Amino acid sequence: MKPVVLLIGRLPQVIGNVAQQLQHLPIEWLGAHDQAEVIHQLDAEPRITCVVMGAGLDDSVRGALIGVIANRRPDVSIHLKDRRSGPAGLVPFVERVVQPMVLEQLQPG
């Protein structure tokens, strides 16, 4: 069974585009772009291993989402993308996060 990563971003099409660009990885991608969707995904999918949040959301929204995620799923790590790398930096950031957090866990030990 594939590990699950939740991608959170300001625009749904951006998150969908990122998941599409990363479809070569053995990961199931879920997306959310507002608090209601984040709550739904966290409650509906117990296999979420980590959350990656894009930089397009306002800091107050990002802070509130961190609180929601930490409260509902203390077992899930949360990763915030920097703003400096811009939208083009999201895919490389996600790849850097999932490599040690998710993919290396799949390697036979």
Side-chain angles (χ1 to χ4, degrees):
M1 197 174 288
K2 290 182 180 181
V4 179
V5 173
L6 176 59
L7 301 172
I8 303 172
R10 187 168 56 94
L11 300 172
Q13 65 269 26
V14 172
I15 296 304
N17 190 22
V18 170
Q20 191 172 44
Q21 290 180 53
L22 297 173
Q23 68 183 351
H24 64 282
L25 298 174
I27 294 173
E28 181 179 334
W29 303 99
L30 297 177
H33 70 277
D34 63 26
Q35 186 168 327
E37 284 184 342
V38 169
I39 290 170
H40 171 74
Q41 297 287 25
L42 293 172
D43 291 348
E45 182 50 77
R47 296 180 301 129
I48 293 172
T49 58
C50 71
V51 173
V52 179
M53 194 177 310
L57 297 168
D58 182 70
D59 285 343
S60 63
V61 173
R62 285 167 44 131
L65 289 174
I66 290 168
V68 166
I69 296 163
N71 186 38
R72 287 185 118 70
R73 293 289 304 276
D75 61 312
V76 171
S77 62
I78 305 165
H79 305 271
L80 302 176
K81 185 199 160 292
D82 68 288
R83 290 202 166 95
R84 181 168 283 177
S85 64
L90 185 55
V91 169
F93 177 74
V94 172
E95 288 177 316
R96 285 192 309 272
V97 167
V98 300
Q99 185 63 42
M101 292 292 306
V102 179
L103 297 179
E104 288 179 8
Q105 302 301 318
L106 297 175
Q107 303 293 328

